[in-house]
Amino acid sequence: MILVLTRRLIGFLVTLVVAAAAVFFLLDRLPGDPAQFILGINASPDSVAALRTQLGLDLPIWQRFGDWLLAMFRGDFGISYTQSAPVAALIGERLWVTLPLAAFAMVLSIVIGLPIGILAARRRGSWLDTGLMLLAQMGIAIPNFWFGMLLVLLFSITLRWLPPGGFTPWQEDFWAALRAMILPSLALALPQAAILARVMRTALVDVQSSDFIRTARAKGMTLGEAVWRHGVRNALLPILTILGLQFAFLISGTIIVENVFYLPGLGRLIFTAISERDLILVRGAVIILIAAVTASMFIVDVLYAVVDPRLRGGLRP
């Protein structure tokens, strides 16, 4: 187990390095000069050249990448070109919005999606199964930003129960911050809950025809008891894979939803940094997103060994 975990950790670090190289070189190829953008179009060429030297933009690209990569692994993401503040501090402030948003959305998708999938599988072939899967298909088809606008129209404009956007810092008013999270979390969670419901239904339908379910029923268990005690655990294996992918999607999906609800999270920070050509801030923020996605897949590998006893001698290949 330790050997496999070590291999996974090495793979995690290699993925980060490769992703960092791809992000760095692709962003460096974007048109526009950060120094020119900072000083404005009326700045003299000498001023622009001096600022490029100050920012290190005149160095060879390989040297700039190496310096940035080594500094990043030391926890130094550099100084923002436009905000003149440490990138790590700027990202840390925004993560207090983005991570709770993604976590709330993940919890909601599980709470909504898994019971619907279990209920549909238990009533397979009935009108309830057909109706629930139809709703799930609609949930998959509708993008989360459209869900966000519908939720604002219903709960903010019509019912006036929840704020349509904006965010109060957690330390100032915890409950106001929590209320501001409800609609964007739902907007992110509903499409993912629809996917979970369909996957859970399919997995349970397959499990119900398994030998161990028939054996459990032969020992006197009802179908519901057999499915709940034995089937759900076995059906969790594909669900874990979906959850790992969904967390990655939720983290990246906050970029759109945060702009819809005017949340000061990492997504809005990246959007603003791109528009301002603040490449060092974009690089740091994107690397944090990639690290979160890669870490989530690593955790899924470990959970596979916890859920399936057959894999406790090693992790999923």
Side-chain angles (χ1 to χ4, degrees):
M1 178 69 109
I2 295 177
L3 179 61
V4 178
L5 286 173
T6 302
R7 287 209 320 262
R8 288 288 192 265
L9 181 59
I10 293 173
F12 171 74
L13 295 175
V14 170
T15 301
L16 281 184
V17 172
V18 173
V23 169
F24 187 93
F25 291 111
L26 287 174
L27 288 177
D28 193 75
R29 295 297 94 191
L30 291 178
D33 186 351
Q36 185 73 64
F37 188 93
I38 294 171
L39 295 177
I41 59 175
N42 296 322
S44 66
D46 291 339
S47 299
V48 173
L51 183 57
R52 285 182 58 83
T53 301
Q54 179 183 344
L55 297 176
L57 298 175
D58 59 334
L59 298 174
I61 187 171
W62 286 103
Q63 182 178 346
R64 286 189 282 122
F65 172 69
D67 293 342
W68 173 72
L69 187 64
L70 292 175
M72 183 182 66
F73 277 107
R74 294 196 303 266
D76 179 10
F77 287 80
I79 303 296
S80 169
Y81 295 156
T82 57
Q83 303 190 41
S84 300
V87 170
L90 293 173
I91 293 174
E93 293 173 0
R94 303 303 183 96
L95 283 176
W96 282 105
V97 178
T98 298
L99 289 182
L101 175 60
F104 292 158
M106 176 65 77
V107 171
L108 285 174
S109 68
I110 294 172
V111 170
I112 297 172
L114 294 190
I116 290 176
I118 294 172
L119 182 60
R122 288 283 312 279
R123 302 298 178 89
R124 179 179 52 169
S126 68
W127 64 267
L128 181 60
D129 177 26
T130 303
L132 290 176
M133 289 301 99
L134 179 60
L135 288 176
Q137 189 62 42
M138 292 174 59
I140 295 172
I142 300 176
N144 49 30
F145 69 86
W146 183 249
F147 269 129
M149 291 186 286
L150 293 178
L151 292 172
V152 168
L153 181 63
L154 176 61
F155 292 103
S156 299
I157 297 177
T158 303
L159 300 176
R160 300 182 181 275
W161 288 354
L162 295 168
F167 184 76
T168 302
W170 295 100
Q171 63 273 17
E172 293 184 12
D173 191 335
F174 176 83
W175 295 111
L178 192 61
R179 290 180 74 244
M181 285 284 178
I182 295 176
L183 292 185
S185 297
L186 275 173
L188 278 172
L190 289 176
Q192 305 309 310
I195 296 173
L196 277 181
R198 290 189 64 86
V199 173
M200 189 67 185
R201 178 194 178 277
T202 302
L204 274 182
V205 167
D206 292 340
V207 166
Q208 287 181 27
S209 60
S210 301
D211 292 337
F212 61 85
I213 294 292
R214 287 195 291 268
T215 301
R217 295 200 65 189
K219 291 181 178 180
M221 287 187 184
T222 65
L223 177 60
E225 291 174 340
V227 168
W228 182 252
R229 293 186 185 182
H230 305 289
V232 172
R233 184 182 182 91
N234 286 273
L236 283 179
L237 292 177
I239 294 297
L240 285 176
T241 301
I242 296 297
L243 288 177
L245 295 174
Q246 283 192 341
F247 184 75
F249 176 82
L250 290 173
I251 289 289
S252 58
T254 58
I255 295 177
I256 298 176
V257 172
E258 285 175 1
N259 281 279
V260 171
F261 289 93
Y262 299 100
L263 296 178
L266 194 59
R268 285 196 69 193
L269 181 67
I270 294 175
F271 183 82
T272 303
I274 291 174
S275 63
E276 295 177 347
R277 200 69 169 81
D278 196 344
L279 297 186
I280 194 166
L281 181 53
V282 177
R283 289 170 190 151
V286 171
I287 285 299
I288 292 297
L289 290 178
I290 293 173
V293 170
T294 310
S296 68
M297 298 310 298
F298 175 80
I299 293 172
V300 168
D301 282 337
V302 176
L303 290 178
Y304 255 80
V306 175
V307 172
D308 192 342
R310 297 169 298 178
L311 301 177
R312 288 177 185 170
L315 297 180
R316 178 170 58 94

